[in-house]
């Protein structure tokens, strides 16, 4: 996961919000337990639903190449590379990138979202995938603006995120910052990072501001509760 908005003075962006900074700091500190949790399949929703859902959503686009933004320890890169796809994983946390490289299959670069937003990633792909990696506010808005420049002609952005119905909890159904939690992720984690909740309308607005339009949407259901386990958005650049 990698989140950092552009510093003041760059393309008119505001200075990094403390909550955006907290996200980045928490993920730097959590690389080892996160790698252990993902590789040990400790997170039930991922094991039962969402891992397969993002793989299926990407494969449905029939890509020859994929950029995985916020690749973490690289499991999605490995899964797609195993299907013969050229996959590049990007993450801001060096320890996660190192773990991904050590596991092999695919290419990996340590780069944060601010760098991507500023045009530092000179790559294009048929699919840009963001699997539960869009956690910030301004950082995500800036990143989304860069996505059209990363897509090949006819390419799409595939986002898997928390479903607003299940993620809303006791809070208001309105875009805004929420407290995070490592519940269900296993042991070894410290303080959880805040995250930016978006309604469906909020997601659509963010995509539209970035020059993207929704072309498909999926709501993978949890097999035990029959409730949405996630929200998958597929968007293409407007021409």
């Amino acid at each position: 996961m990698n989140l950092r908005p552009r510093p003041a003075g760059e393309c008119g962006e505001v200075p990094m919000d403390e909550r955006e900074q907290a996200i980045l700091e928490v993920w730097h500190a959590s690389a080892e337990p996160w790698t252990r949790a993902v590789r040990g399949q400790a997170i039930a929703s991922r094991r039962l639903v969402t891992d397969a859902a993002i793989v299926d959503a990407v494969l449905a686009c029939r890509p020859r190449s994929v950029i995985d933004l916020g690749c973490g320890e690289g499991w999605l890169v490995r899964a797609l590379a195993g299907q013969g796809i050229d996959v590049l994983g990007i993450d801001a946390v060096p320890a996660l990138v190192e773990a991904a490289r050590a596991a092999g299959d695919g290419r990996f670069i340590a780069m944060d979202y601010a760098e991507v937003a500023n045009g530092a990633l000179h790559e294009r792909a048929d699919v840009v995938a963001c699997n539960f990696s869009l956690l910030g506010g301004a950082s995500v808005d800036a990143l989304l603006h860069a996505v059209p420049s990363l897509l090949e002609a006819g390419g799409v952005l595939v986002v898997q995120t928390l479903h607003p119905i299940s993620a809303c909890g006791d809070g208001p159904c309105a875009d805004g910052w929420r407290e995070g939690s490592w519940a269900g992720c296993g042991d070894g984690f410290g303080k959880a990072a805040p995250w930016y909740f978006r309604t469906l309308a909020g997601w659509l607005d963010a995509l539209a501001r970035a020059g993207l339009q929704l072309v498909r949407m999926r709501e993978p259901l949890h097999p035990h509760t029959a409730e949405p386990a996630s929200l998958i958005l597929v968007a293409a650049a407007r021409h």
Side-chain angles (χ1 to χ4, degrees):
M1 308 288 180
N2 47 29
L3 302 134
R4 195 185 74 190
R6 285 172 265 187
E10 294 184 14
C11 301
E13 290 296 320
V14 298
M16 186 187 296
D17 184 281
E18 290 182 2
R19 290 162 296 196
E20 303 269 9
Q21 177 64 34
I23 295 174
L24 191 60
E25 291 174 352
V26 165
W27 279 100
H28 277 287
S30 304
E32 183 176 346
W34 180 252
T35 298
R36 187 166 59 248
V38 172
R39 295 183 179 178
Q41 295 190 319
I43 305 170
S45 60
R46 295 178 64 110
R47 183 176 67 249
L48 295 173
V49 191
T50 63
D51 280 2
I54 188 65
V55 172
D56 290 346
V58 172
L59 292 180
C61 301
R62 301 184 181 276
R64 292 170 297 178
S65 57
V66 173
I67 297 172
D68 182 5
L69 291 177
C71 67
E73 55 72 58
W75 81 268
L76 181 57
V77 172
R78 295 191 295 276
L80 296 175
Q83 298 291 323
I85 299 169
D86 177 26
V87 192
L88 171 64
I90 306 293
D91 205 283
V93 181
L96 289 174
V97 172
E98 290 171 9
R101 286 174 176 157
D105 292 331
R107 298 176 292 135
F108 299 93
I109 297 175
M111 182 180 292
D112 66 37
Y113 282 1
E115 292 173 290
V116 176
N118 285 328
L121 181 58
H122 303 295
E123 299 271 350
R124 285 182 178 266
D126 299 318
V127 170
V128 170
C130 298
N131 186 46
F132 295 114
S133 59
L134 301 182
L135 304 177
S139 61
V140 169
D141 290 334
L143 178 71
L144 290 175
H145 277 275
V147 166
S149 69
L150 302 177
L151 294 174
E152 295 282 12
V156 294
L157 167 69
V158 179
V159 174
Q160 180 165 224
T161 186
L162 295 173
H163 196 289
I165 290 178
S166 57
C168 190
D170 297 328
C173 189
D175 293 4
W177 287 95
R178 304 289 177 91
E179 294 297 322
S181 172
W182 292 115
C185 294
D187 300 326
F189 292 94
K191 181 180 178 181
W195 60 284
Y196 193 81
F197 172 84
R198 295 175 194 262
T199 61
L200 179 56
W203 277 112
L204 296 182
D205 287 345
L207 292 173
R209 290 193 301 269
L212 296 159
Q213 61 183 5
L214 185 71
V215 295
R216 286 190 300 281
M217 182 174 71
R218 297 183 180 183
E219 299 171 284
L221 300 180
H222 195 288
H224 298 164
T225 66
E227 295 179 350
S230 67
L231 176 67
I232 294 179
L233 304 171
V234 181
R238 292 200 305 266
H239 297 290

